[in-house]
Amino acid sequence: MARRSSSSSSSSSRWRYLHPAYYLKRPKRLAFLFIVFVVSTFAFWDRQSLVREHEAETSKLQQELESLRDQLRKAGVSVHVEEHTSTKNSKVIDNGNAWNGEMDPINNERREKVKDAMRHAWNSYVEYAWGKDELQPRSKSGVNSFGGLGATLVDSLDTLYIMDLKDEFQKAREWVATSLDFNKDYVASVFETTIRVVGGLLSAYDLSGDKIFLEKAKDIADRLLPAWDTPTGIPYNRINLAHGNPHNHGWTGGESILADSGTEQLEFIALSQRTGDPKYQQKAEKVINQLQKTFPSDGLLPIYINPHSGAASSHSTITFGAMGDSFYEYLLKVWIQGNKTETVKHYREMWETSMEGLLSLVRKSTPSSFSYICEKNGGSLSDKMDELACFAPGMLALGSSGYGPEKAEQILSLAKELAWTCYNFYESTPTKLAGENYFFYAGQDMSVGTSWNILRPETVESLMYLWRLTGNKTYQEWGWNIFQAFEKHSRIDSGYVGLKDVNTGDKDDMMQSFFLAETLKYLYLLFSPPSVISFDEWVFNTEAHPLKIVARNDKVEDVGEAAEAKPQSRAVIRPFGRKQGRYSSIDN
Ligand code: DMJ
């Protein structure tokens, strides 16, 4: 009992510490308790803010790391190192595709092989055709097929830059600065000069930020501009670079060609954006406004248009191949270049209308079910498809995401089917290189028509788009097979040649400038991460020259022609200087 009463008294004495009266009677203890409370609250708060500061610092470092990784990828540098330093998020999402952040060793090896091909093509041009338009590899000489504008050199600038061929790029840049002269008494194609020269120079400017390229682009564009001075604004397709005097080819009966007249919008809009001078954009966009007035319900325009009346010649061919192709391509791409805003909505609407027209031209062959795009002459379809029309799968894939889900699926499926057909244009010949065009006589499987191959890019272009947009590596395999066929049949000691006949492998004597501008660039990108020249930031002109997408400045139209050129602030990748590969905003 005694023990129980002692324990009960000690427990009641323990509870007395919780009673406020206890402390009121003992102020020293109350003060002590207060101090303990204040000190521990401060210690806790201090630790929490340290954690917060640490988290903020970590997140800032993470952001910097992400930005550096992005810059490395944009500069085309392998990103092995970055992934080792990253502790989480080893997946990088690019354009909706999961890219595992590691360069696949096979892709790495393949893109090095493509880079080696570019080096070989370029070195051969330097050695035998420096400053000339194109190299004739078997004759080991140069030829001025574009009036002596250094077409191959200008067409190659951005490919050299993207492949990080620094010395080669610098040497080409010096030639542009010191020797590129447009004051030539030469009747040039407005279309070819725009897509290769204006496009090539603008792309080199966007990539490097070097103003010499912009100055030269402006010079040549100013010489082309009088071609648009027609009653409708639809341009003449030829002009003398020194004296003007625009006109059309005799063999078109004085008509303008659809592709030649509607494939300058990307370049001329970009030029207005970069110079602040609206006149280029105004001329090029007026063409589309004019064509929109009489745009047919199926969106399919014949290849000849009268520059005086604006009337399309109803007896001429409708095609997604030669002379029609890139008109449709630019409807979509101007919409992308214009950030898909309300101002450029009519481009997208016209493109969608034309894609309904394209669907009406698609047939399937027997027995292999190859989808192909027919041509149309008058009211009747012809079972013929140019290799040139093989840009269409890439264009369809690129435009598919602008539709609602069901239509997007239909358009993407068609893109995949057409890409399979185009790949088989290559696979079906003894050399595994495609002919210039194919017939599907009475709906039967393909047979080669014109059997030359001039190193064209359209199929590998589409494979690059489809690989990026679907993530399906099969397209890389197909591209690799095509590249190997070029290596086997077209590579010679002094460059790359086309084939006179894909059945026999007989060689021609021309290294087309688009082989370096397009074919090799698209192959290189096919084996590179999708963030190298990403579709979110760049749009490729029809000669594969990437143009940076910037804010569309439609106020430009209110500015008088005499207004001082004032380029807008824009992002560029600096080339090889102190801020290598770094995006920076430039105000000129
Ligand atoms: C290039 O000049 C361009 O791709 C153009 O749009 C079509 N022809 C050649 C390549 O084949």
Side-chain angles (χ1 to χ4, degrees), residues 201-213:
L201 290 166
L202 283 176
S203 187
Y205 174 65
D206 278 0
L207 288 162
S208 69
D210 189 332
K211 276 198 209 161
I212 188 68
F213 298 122

Side-chain angles (χ1 to χ4, degrees), residues 146 155 191-192 195-196 259 263 325-326 329-330 387-388 391 436 454-458 461 512-515 518-519 522 541-544:
F146 295 94
D155 242 358
F191 163 75
E192 297 291 359
I195 66 169
R196 295 178 203 231
T263 311
D325 48 11
S326 44
E329 177 187 351
Y330 272 32
E387 195 280 340
L388 280 165
F391 81 98
E436 179 71 357
I454 57 168
L455 306 165
R456 287 198 191 277
E458 290 75 16
E461 168 184 355
Q512 305 279 341
S513 80
F514 53 66
F515 183 64
E518 300 194 68
T519 313
Y522 284 134
N541 88 338
T542 195
E543 188 79 359

Side-chain angles (χ1 to χ4, degrees), residues 103-177:
M103 271 297 291
D104 174 343
I106 294 176
N107 279 341
N108 222 357
E109 196 181 306
R110 288 177 174 180
R111 95 175 179 152
E112 283 310 309
K113 287 264 163 43
V114 177
K115 186 170 169 177
D116 172 71
M118 178 66 189
R119 238 187 244 110
H120 178 61
W122 175 255
N123 289 339
S124 304
Y125 169 76
V126 171
E127 188 168 354
Y128 303 115
W130 180 247
K132 294 277 174 51
D133 283 329
E134 288 177 311
L135 166 66
Q136 295 178 309
R138 293 172 74 196
S139 314
K140 298 190 176 170
S141 63
V143 58
N144 279 335
S145 27
F146 295 94
L149 311 181
T152 294
L153 188 149
V154 176
D155 242 358
S156 298
L157 286 164
D158 53 5
T159 309
L160 294 172
Y161 192 98
I162 291 164
M163 291 186 182
D164 201 26
L165 292 166
K166 297 188 180 75
D167 295 343
E168 292 82 350
F169 178 83
Q170 284 305 343
K171 190 176 157 90
R173 185 258 174 225
E174 286 318 303
W175 186 88
V176 169

